[in-house]
Amino acid sequence: MFKSNTNIGASAGRNFLLKEIFDRYNPDYICTMDNDIITIDKDWLKKMVNTLEKKEEYGICGNKLILPDNTLQYNYHLSFIESSSKDHKLKEIGQYDFEKEVPLVITANMLIKKSVIKKIGGFDENMFYLYEDIDYCYRAKKAGFKIMYNNL
């Protein structure tokens, strides 16, 4: 278990873990996942890896997040997928079960290829909490990577 002695914030915390994990294990991918996430699809990670393996320029992948009341978490990526819907309580009925390039995904559950981290580095530590995912996806896209959403 990796642990910081103080609350260093989301971005610095993620960077702390990136360094520890790469130093010890040198993985091909890093998955960020908030501590309140409960997976309901046993193949969620395999699906995200499969998406990123399809093309070299696919660098980051996210997926659908459903709240306990069976509504979709109003994530940045969903707002871009269906810009006509601004309903923050959109019921989950399978309408977002597809794979698609999107402008960004959130760090609540984000899979990042090692090549992205090697090229753009870690998260911006000037952002203690919030918007670090928007910034990270923006920088990845600027570096030539595509951001993918997969919930097949």
Side-chain angles (χ1 to χ4, degrees):
M1 177 181 206
F2 307 108
K3 185 177 181 180
S4 171
N5 294 327
T6 61
N7 181 358
I8 57 178
S11 294
R14 293 184 206 293
N15 289 342
F16 170 78
L17 289 173
L18 288 176
K19 181 183 179 337
E20 291 292 323
I21 291 168
F22 276 116
D23 285 352
R24 292 183 192 199
Y25 305 108
N26 193 29
D28 293 330
Y29 297 94
I30 292 287
C31 182
T32 65
M33 181 181 279
D34 287 356
N35 64 355
D36 61 349
I37 298 290
I38 298 170
T39 61
I40 57 175
D41 179 348
K42 66 179 178 60
D43 293 325
W44 66 272
L45 184 57
K46 182 178 182 179
K47 291 176 182 180
M48 290 171 69
V49 168
N50 287 343
T51 294
L52 292 182
E53 288 292 316
K54 288 180 180 178
K55 294 188 179 180
E56 193 169 323
E57 67 266 21
Y58 290 0
I60 298 174
C61 188
N63 59 15
K64 178 170 53 179
L65 301 174
I66 304 168
L67 299 171
D69 67 355
N70 202 40
T71 58
L72 295 166
Q73 181 174 339
Y74 188 72
N75 297 329
Y76 312 120
H77 62 279
L78 291 180
S79 68
F80 289 106
I81 291 171
E82 188 174 306
S83 59
S84 64
S85 176
K86 297 299 178 196
D87 183 359
H88 292 259
K89 289 291 189 180
L90 194 58
K91 286 289 184 189
E92 158 47 9
I93 56 172
Q95 69 273 46
Y96 295 111
D97 291 347
F98 51 77
E99 180 180 86
K100 179 178 182 173
E101 182 182 353
V102 292
L104 55 109
V105 295
I106 65 173
T107 51
N109 192 347
M110 175 189 282
L111 187 65
I112 311 166
K113 267 187 186 174
K114 179 184 357 185
S115 57
V116 173
I117 298 165
K118 282 187 165 207
K119 191 165 189 177
I120 70 170
F123 292 87
D124 183 344
E125 294 186 14
N126 292 311
M127 298 177 185
F128 185 82
Y129 177 71
L130 289 178
Y131 308 117
E132 77 281 358
D133 37 22
I134 295 172
D135 173 72
Y136 200 75
C137 288
Y138 171 78
R139 290 189 293 126
K141 286 177 63 167
K142 192 173 175 182
F145 294 100
K146 294 187 184 290
I147 314 304
M148 301 301 295
Y149 166 87
N150 180 0
N151 202 78
L152 290 177

